[in-house]
Amino acid sequence: MALSRLIVNADDFGYSEAVNRAILCGFESSLLTSTSLMANMPGFDHAVGLIRQHPFLQHNVGLHLNLTEGYPLSRSLPACPIFCGKGGRLIYDRERSLFRLGRRERVAVYEEMETQLQRVLAAGIRPTHLDSHHHTHTEWAIAPLVCRLARANGIGRVRLTRNMGVVTSRSKRWYKKVFNYWFLGRRSGLDNTDYFGDIGDMNYFLNERKGKNEGKDPVLESLFFEIMVHPLFDERGGLVDFDGKDLRRGLLPILQRSKNFAFTPIDL
């Protein structure tokens, strides 16, 4: 079973210089097709420097909206206790789902996301997509603000909520289905993928399809996938994902099934 369209995106570019170097290594090893940049974290300037030095990064960078870690860039959000503590640090941990925000919170969240986007644009980077740290954009109250930001700035893709892998809760399964259809489906006007998850989710999905279909799977070949990874270096200098597993070993069996990527990685 071949995959026609596949994105492998590295989250957290700009988190730190160490993370930035691991992501660059992932590109140079032909394991990644894109990355998502954090505008409010300590490694931002270092990441921007790498983008300017390496042409293969320049048109494959999205914005990793961050409402959960570090400090906000805008003035309004620190006044919202849902998102910021007394010292102004971002504290929202998603333990409380956000189905509704007051007008003040909506304005502040949009201002913060727009300020993060403007910092990226000011660095000469036009994001190809939007996603978020700890998937905050998949909160019901935040999703319409993210979609509005994308449309206002000509950004054509917003990451789905995870819809591959094992979902034990029926309520979560329905939430994900309704969320993706309502905010990010074809009616949204965005050019989104059909499926999103991590390496384990993708392998689960492929094994499920293999059990149902022998040989060619024309439906699978027509689908558009995104795999999320978080490259890091382990203590021995090996490139691993967030779970400590070898990144190349995890991705190569999937990449070898792909007819083509959303862009062609170097030296594949």
Side-chain angles (χ1 to χ4, degrees), residues 155-206:
I155 299 172
R157 182 163 55 85
V158 177
R159 175 180 285 172
L160 302 180
T161 188
R162 189 188 307 244
N163 59 350
M164 297 191 290
V166 179
V167 181
T168 55
S169 165
R170 181 176 294 181
S171 60
K172 280 188 177 181
R173 185 160 55 246
W174 275 105
Y175 178 89
K176 291 171 182 292
K177 184 175 290 189
V178 172
F179 179 95
N180 285 336
Y181 172 80
W182 186 257
F183 291 116
L184 302 175
R186 292 178 182 176
R187 64 192 293 276
S188 70
L190 298 167
D191 184 25
N192 289 328
T193 62
D194 297 298
Y195 287 93
F196 162 72
D198 60 22
I199 294 173
D201 297 327
M202 186 71 183
N203 284 324
Y204 180 88
F205 181 90
L206 292 174

Side-chain angles (χ1 to χ4, degrees), residues 209 216-223 225:
R209 295 294 304 187
K216 275 197 167 186
D217 185 347
V219 174
L220 183 67
E221 292 180 10
S222 70
L223 296 174
F225 294 88

